[in-house]
Amino acid sequence: MTNASLAQASDLAIWTSIVVLALAMVAFSVHLAVTGSRRTRRADRTAREDVPVAAGAGRAVPPSPAGVGSGTVLAPAPDTPAPTRRWGVVGLQLTWLGTFLVVAGTVLRGLSVTRAPLGNMYEFALFTASFALVVYSAWSLRKDRLWLGAFVVVPVLLILGAAKLWWYTEASQLMPALDNIWLVIHVTVATLSIALFLIGAAVATAYLLRDSAQRKGEVRGWLAALPEAVKLERITYGVHIVAFPLWTFAVMSGAVWAEQAWGRYWGWDPKETWSFVIWVVYAAYLHARATSGWTTRRATWVAIAGFACIVVNYTVVNLLMTGLHSYSGVAN
Amino acid sequence: MATDQQARQRIESSYPKDRTTLGGPRLGPLGWARWAWRQLTSMRTALALLLLLAVAAIPGSIFPQRGVDPVRVRQYFEDDPGLARWLDRFGMFEVYSSPWFASIYLLLMISLVGCVLPRMRQHLRAVRAQPPRTPARLGRLPVHRHVVLDAAPDDVVAAARARLSARRFRLREEEDGALVVAAEKGFAKETGNLLFHLALLGIIVAVAVGHLFGWRGEIIIKEGESWTAGAGTFDTLSLGPLVDESDIPAFTVRVDDLDVQFEAQAEGAQFGQPRVFRGVATIEADGSERQVGFGVNDPLSIDGTSMFLLGNGYAPVVTVRDAAGEILFSDAVTFLPQDNTYGSDGVIKVPGAEPGLGFAGGFLPTLDISEAGMTSSFPGLVDPALVLTAYEGELFPEGRSQSVFSLPTESLDQVMQDDGQPSRMLLRPGDTLEIPGDRGTIEMETVIRWGGLLVRHDPGRLPALLFAGTALVGLVLMLGVRRRRVFVRVHPGAGDPADPGSRHTGLSVAALPKGTDPGLDDLVDELVEQIAGASGGRVLEPDRATGDAADAARDDARDKDEV
């Protein structure tokens, strides 16, 4: 049984969340621009006045290491106010609102069909977006992650937009192959790890951009609003070592389910093949990071390649390849 | 620069011209073997092989695979035989059993063994060994703090030992009165690493065992029909290389009832999607009989063998009578669904007629007549119809075996109607129609369902599951546990000679991570605080830089929000 009014409420919540998240994206972008330009200006000034400014606060400012590598100054200069966080906080609050709306939309969708909303591509997309936003929101409560906002909100908006425009599926019941407890276990963990990989790829992108700017010795504009490259790299790795075991579990639980449903735990169905490819590529990333002779830059590119494989697995495999995992629910 | 070159020239002139007389390291066969082994087992090679494995797996998702979908492979050969032949030469239709794919993962396995075995030996030694001695200059370690406490040196050492033990560090045994503590923790990381890689090998072995000792067969069973397992009774049967036909256990399965329902409410792509797919079967094995429900995701389990409900379709019950009204044929005939609306194809063979009579055509669960012809608009039985054309002639030419789903049309002639058109009959349940040319009648009594069952025995599946679980545990340990070494040194009497009343005991705490370890700073901070607290002394000089002047600046700059 499907409840039409709940399904409509879900659609409304998702549309609203798209508007709210678009505003959040704008606010986060302004935050990056404002913070970046302030830091750049401050760095320029301290680089110019090589002599510490002792007036005012009466505290000596160490010379900036701008010439050496990074362009940011870590100790605040006395005559510049701390970079404003107003825009970033607005973006964060909008993101919390958007998170609430996406989660509400997903839950309403589930209520409208009285089952876990994991039955088709549209619902996977909602779940992935929810997880990415929830993880980011929870993280931002504990640490300062304003700089990451734009990097998370933009891909989430892309997912929600694509889900609404191309993958939308009427709320309805499950096909029997999906009507199983493993659906909840397998798909929940898979979407959670995809959400984490998405955040990982976002930080990795930030790292690669910031790192190449630092190498050139000119960290200007919004790049100056990002943390140091070393720190970004560490966060990238930290996110991936959480996501990778989850993905491993998702693949394994998928195998257990496949054994029950199709009589074999591994059969090189396109979805299985791509899940394997993703697993191997991320395993290669973890190895690359520990291999001497491989720079962290190159290793990070492997992680980005892993995320590209996830995108292929989510789109090309679902929509174009014939296999047993053909329940995208999207009409050809 | 000039002197440099002169020096080089002088050295070169003293070199023997004939390199073979040089007694240096020339590689013999053993040396080359060792070199090759070292190359193969290096991390870099493993990494290259991993990336290669990922790339090599992709073609298998692009081209149809024989093991997965042989029909589409055949289609590929028909559509473009030239290209298909070339692709086949490179094993593109059997990627996962092709030699080049196998060579990648076998090399990877060898590389893995070559990497894991020495590491196991090393790890065993490390677990048994004591933590290493405290280095002389703690200021050189990546994380270090130094404070001066108002406490007795012995108390500080005791406090440090107690705190580190409480945090489950292993401590190095020191002599009495030693003013250093060396501690180590996180061996579970390497244990997890080794466990994970060994379990991966285990999974591959389990898969191989399943392949060698397993078997699978397929069988279509109609409602009410009984089927007894045995080598000859399957529609298709494939045995593993080390399995004998006699290994197939004997049991009987009767499908009592099948319940299949389709989505009739939702619109769009969801309309007509299957919703319920369950059945009830009676199993007879080892002299006992039991009735069990089964369905998709809920296989039957008999004697270490599982039966999976994978397909379903319709079987119209058809009776053919001759002109005199004698029954020539009466049975449920399996029709195979061709699409999502269950428009199905099938044939009826009536060898009892003289000459042999055959019918070919389609079964449409929900008849829909439009300009495009007759199709099915819904997979459920709303308005079922059987559309047939009749053939006459030799049904089994020369006794050759043939599919039950096709007629040998080359030895048959189509039966024509009186108006010269090919014969065409449309039957609904309960209908009886004349076969043109006074050949008798055909009746469709009713429609029953059939289930397509996969019977499978895989002795490797449980070991594979156990190894997979082990691998996961290993992975979590490997990535979650941090390997850390912490060193403490206590400096008695370090401090202010102007104030001899206070005990100026210096405390240095330093830590050495293995790999990325952003939490180490916090650990050392906490340790300093706790040791100071536990030794009962107040901190006289907090966090005095131990070595380089850069430290103070670095600590200032240390970002507060780390992962």
Side-chain angles (χ1 to χ4, degrees):
Chain A
M1 277 297 109
T2 54
N3 184 325
S5 56
L6 285 175
Q8 272 171 3
S10 159
D11 290 348
L12 188 67
I14 299 299
W15 276 120
T16 320
S17 77
I18 291 179
V19 175
V20 172
L21 288 172
L23 292 173
M25 174 184 76
V26 172
F28 277 133
S29 310
V30 173
H31 166 76
L32 284 181
V34 170
T35 317
S37 68
R38 286 204 184 192
R39 283 199 186 158
T40 315
R41 232 180 300 143
R42 202 149 25 96
D44 286 349
R45 192 174 314 131
T46 23
R48 237 185 359 259
E49 307 160 7
D50 224 1
V51 186
V53 188
R59 189 183 154 188
V61 177
S64 143
V68 186
S70 82
T72 50
V73 178
L74 298 154
D79 56 344
T80 331
T84 173
R85 289 159 48 90
R86 196 182 306 137
W87 282 101
V89 170
V90 168
L92 188 58
Q93 284 164 347
L94 285 170
T95 307
W96 288 339
L97 180 60
T99 307
F100 172 75
L101 286 167
V102 175
V103 172
T106 313
V107 170
L108 284 170
R109 174 89 178 186
L111 288 176
S112 80
V113 287
T114 53
R115 60 172 168 82
L118 294 164
N120 50 54
M121 206 169 159
Y122 173 69
E123 291 168 359
F124 299 157
L126 290 193
F127 238 76
T128 309
S130 303
F131 270 130
L133 287 172
V134 167
V135 168
Y136 172 75
S137 298
W139 206 12
S140 67
L141 286 175
R142 292 190 54 213
K143 312 251 177 178
D144 178 7
R145 289 285 176 267
L146 295 182
W147 53 269
L148 184 60
F151 287 87
V152 173
V153 170
V154 169
V156 166
L157 267 175
L158 285 175
I159 292 175
L160 287 176
K164 267 285 168 217
L165 293 177
W166 300 311
W167 306 333
Y168 185 71
T169 312
E170 288 284 326
S172 63
Q173 293 307 306
L174 289 176
M175 60 174 88
L178 292 181
D179 190 7
N180 191 272
I181 182 67
W182 285 104
L183 172 75
V184 181
I185 301 169
H186 169 63
V187 184
T188 307
V189 177
T191 44
L192 174 60
S193 64
I194 288 175
L196 285 170
F197 278 132
L198 181 137
I199 293 175
V203 188
T205 313
Y207 159 71
L208 289 171
L209 291 171
R210 169 87 193 199
D211 187 54
S212 47
Q214 275 181 220
R215 276 154 189 273
K216 286 190 211 125
E218 43 180 61
V219 183
R220 313 206 62 84
W222 64 276
L223 285 176
L226 299 176
E228 289 284 321
V230 183
K231 206 181 132 196
L232 286 172
E233 206 280 327
R234 218 157 50 202
I235 298 175
T236 307
Y237 179 69
V239 174
H240 279 103
I241 60 170
V242 179
F244 185 71
L246 285 173
W247 183 254
T248 311
F249 179 77
V251 173
M252 284 175 181
S253 63
V256 172
W257 186 13
E259 207 279 329
Q260 261 186 33
W262 303 322
R264 83 287 182 295
Y265 50 85
W266 196 264
W268 297 109
D269 173 74
K271 196 84 180 181
E272 292 171 343
T273 303
W274 277 92
S275 302
F276 173 75
V277 169
I278 291 164
W279 190 83
V280 171
V281 171
Y282 277 111
Y285 162 67
L286 296 180
H287 280 89
R289 221 178 151 275
T291 303
S292 53
W294 269 65
T295 58
T296 40
R297 261 188 90 77
R298 231 195 313 166
T300 309
W301 275 110
V302 177
I304 299 268
F307 192 69
C309 291
I310 288 184
V311 173
V312 169
N313 199 16
Y314 211 74
T315 56
V316 178
V317 173
N318 278 3
L319 298 172
L320 298 179
M321 290 183 180
T322 350
L324 289 164
H325 282 78
S326 51
Y327 35 69
S328 68
V330 179
N332 292 317
Chain B
M1 201 61 189
T3 51
D4 209 58
Q5 240 163 20
Q6 274 167 3
R8 202 181 304 147
Q9 272 166 2
R10 201 170 57 237
I11 289 170
E12 278 210 302
S13 62
S14 72
Y15 253 75
K17 285 282 178 284
D18 183 7
R19 287 289 189 105
T20 52
T21 61
L22 198 68
R26 286 183 48 79
L27 290 178
L30 192 70
W32 278 110
R34 197 175 290 156
W35 176 84
W37 177 250
R38 220 165 269 158
Q39 290 301 309
L40 185 62
T41 55
S42 79
M43 189 83 151
R44 244 183 226 224
T45 313
L47 183 55
L49 286 170
L50 266 178
L51 289 171
L52 205 59
L53 185 68
V55 174
I58 292 174
S61 71
I62 296 169
F63 303 110
Q65 299 295 297
R66 280 207 181 89
V68 180
D69 199 346
V71 181
R72 273 181 63 223
V73 177
R74 227 174 297 135
Q75 188 66 41
Y76 212 98
F77 269 88
E78 280 166 23
D79 292 349
D80 192 345
L83 181 66
R85 216 171 311 124
W86 271 103
L87 288 172
D88 201 22
R89 243 167 250 180
F90 291 107
M92 288 297 168
F93 299 117
E94 280 160 313
V95 167
Y96 308 108
S97 49
S98 67
W100 51 270
F101 191 78
S103 62
I104 295 173
Y105 72 72
L106 285 177
L107 280 175
L108 202 55
M109 272 175 81
I110 295 170
S111 162
L112 203 156
V113 170
C115 190
V116 164
L117 285 183
R119 282 183 79 149
M120 275 172 76
R121 221 176 306 136
Q122 229 172 15
H123 184 54
L124 278 178
R125 219 176 300 145
V127 168
R128 279 191 306 239
Q130 293 251 351
R133 220 179 277 282
T134 307
R137 304 180 66 170
L138 293 184
R140 292 209 171 157
L141 296 187
V143 182
H144 52 95
R145 304 274 181 281
H146 183 84
V147 290
V148 176
L149 303 174
D150 179 14
D154 287 348
D155 293 349
V156 178
V157 171
R161 290 190 78 93
R163 289 321 307 166
L164 285 165
S165 300
R167 286 174 177 267
R168 306 178 45 147
F169 273 83
R170 284 172 358 125
L171 302 179
R172 183 183 173 86
E173 287 168 28
E174 308 278 1
E175 299 156 23
D176 284 345
L179 292 172
V180 288
V181 182
E184 195 170 16
K185 114 181 239 191
F187 284 101
K189 187 185 187 67
E190 180 69 0
T191 310
N193 182 10
L194 296 171
L195 203 62
F196 170 74
H197 285 99
L198 288 174
L200 282 191
L201 287 178
I203 292 176
I204 294 172
V205 171
V207 170
V209 166
H211 176 71
L212 292 174
F213 295 96
W215 55 267
R216 57 179 290 157
E218 279 163 331
I219 179 72
I220 284 177
I221 308 179
K222 286 170 271 199
E223 277 177 309
E225 195 181 29
S226 263
W227 169 81
T228 303
T233 63
F234 288 94
D235 292 339
T236 61
L237 175 66
S238 55
L239 299 170
L242 300 180
V243 184
D244 194 74
E245 286 187 351
S246 60
D247 294 336
I248 296 172
F251 58 87
T252 300
V253 175
R254 190 177 70 235
V255 175
D256 300 321
D257 182 45
L258 278 175
D259 181 17
V260 185
Q261 290 169 24
F262 300 92
E263 175 71 57
Q265 208 185 45
E267 284 164 30
Q270 292 290 331
F271 180 74
Q273 291 283 336
R275 289 295 174 243
V276 176
F277 191 7
R278 286 204 60 82
V280 178
T282 307
I283 299 168
E284 214 184 303
D286 304 325
S288 66
E289 204 182 79
R290 62 195 163 104
Q291 196 174 44
V292 282
F294 68 107
V296 173
N297 281 319
D298 182 15
L300 292 169
S301 180
I302 311 142
D303 237 357
T305 302
S306 305
M307 284 183 85
F308 303 88
L309 182 58
L310 292 191
N312 75 103
Y314 294 107
V317 181
V318 176
T319 304
V320 179
R321 295 182 176 85
D322 64 11
E326 286 291 312
I327 292 178
L328 297 174
F329 173 91
S330 183
D331 202 358
V333 186
T334 308
F335 275 60
L336 295 180
Q338 303 297 310
D339 53 35
N340 286 338
T341 58
Y342 280 55
S344 312
D345 285 354
V347 302
I348 303 162
K349 295 176 187 176
V350 189
E354 195 55 51
L357 204 52
F359 299 88
F363 173 79
L364 306 167
T366 302
L367 180 64
D368 182 41
I369 301 174
S370 63
E371 297 101 64
M374 281 181 278
T375 52
S376 175
S377 59
F378 184 70
L381 289 174
V382 178
D383 179 17
L386 187 60
V387 184
L388 296 173
T389 181
Y391 289 87
E392 195 176 51
E394 188 72 43
L395 276 177
F396 299 99
E398 296 149 31
R400 263 180 288 145
S401 64
Q402 52 170 280
S403 161
V404 293
F405 297 109
S406 64
L407 287 175
T409 42
E410 65 276 10
S411 65
L412 293 172
D413 296 313
Q414 196 161 18
V415 173
M416 294 297 165
Q417 283 168 202
D418 297 339
D419 58 4
Q421 292 290 315
S423 61
R424 195 141 185 222
M425 288 157 278
L426 191 150
L427 295 123
R428 290 191 162 91
D431 284 357
T432 307
L433 282 185
E434 293 269 333
I435 304 166
D438 203 20
R439 289 176 171 91
T441 58
I442 179 165
E443 178 191 1
M444 173 162 73
E445 287 167 35
T446 181
V447 183
I448 61 170
R449 295 178 195 274
W450 55 260
L453 290 137
L454 168 71
V455 189
R456 181 156 165 90
H457 175 68
D458 183 353
R461 82 185 165 159
L462 198 62
L465 182 65
L466 293 176
F467 281 122
T470 313
L472 196 60
V473 170
L475 186 64
V476 170
L477 286 177
M478 172 169 104
L479 296 175
V481 173
R482 304 209 182 281
R483 176 94 180 265
R484 289 162 166 174
R485 281 176 183 166
V486 171
F487 301 103
V488 177
R489 172 164 281 128
V490 176
H491 314 270
D496 195 359
D499 183 12
S502 69
R503 292 165 295 180
H504 278 71
T505 303
L507 167 68
S508 301
V509 180
L512 186 66
K514 193 168 182 188
T516 313
D517 193 348
L520 208 57
D521 281 288
D522 291 339
L523 172 77
V524 172
D525 282 342
E526 276 171 38
L527 275 173
V528 169
E529 205 173 295
Q530 288 175 342
I531 294 169
S535 58
R538 63 200 161 88
V539 178
L540 299 174
E541 289 172 45
D543 209 353
R544 204 184 64 184
T546 33
D548 350 342
D551 277 8
R554 200 186 64 87
D555 287 341
D556 275 349
R558 200 159 55 80
D559 229 306
K560 287 289 173 274
D561 63 338
E562 281 170 326
V563 188

